[in-house]
Amino acid sequence: GLVAEIRGRVMGFVLIRRHAPKGAQAYGELSDVVLTPGKKSSGVGQMLLARAIAQFREWGCGQVFLETG
């Protein structure tokens, strides 16, 4: 997962995972986006999602799925 910290304090995190089935292109899974109370609309979530997308690209994922429940 990825963690956002400001001055050593956790502001939020996102859980990501790469899947690489045999004979198929790798894909990513984003399963949680959690922000510390009071951090909504602060840009932390946007930054975490941008970093997650960058990681999926580095991993060569052709698709990303969002787990919602």
Side-chain angles (χ1 to χ4, degrees), residues 3-13 36-37 39 44 47:
V3 178
E5 292 183 43
I6 298 175
R7 292 186 284 272
R9 296 186 66 197
V10 174
M11 298 291 119
F13 66 90
T36 300
K39 291 300 168 190
V44 171
M47 183 274 307

Side-chain angles (χ1 to χ4, degrees), residues 3-65:
V3 178
E5 292 183 43
I6 298 175
R7 292 186 284 272
R9 296 186 66 197
V10 174
M11 298 291 119
F13 66 90
V14 61
L15 297 179
I16 61 174
R17 186 172 164 188
R18 179 181 185 265
H19 298 272
K22 285 188 177 183
Q25 184 173 10
Y27 65 92
E29 176 185 352
L30 192 147
S31 59
D32 287 293
V33 178
V34 179
L35 300 178
T36 300
K39 291 300 168 190
K40 289 183 179 177
S41 300
S42 69
V44 171
Q46 185 176 11
M47 183 274 307
L48 282 167
L49 289 176
R51 181 62 191 108
I53 290 167
Q55 183 63 62
F56 289 132
R57 286 184 177 138
E58 287 178 33
W59 286 341
C61 296
Q63 294 181 314
V64 174
F65 295 92

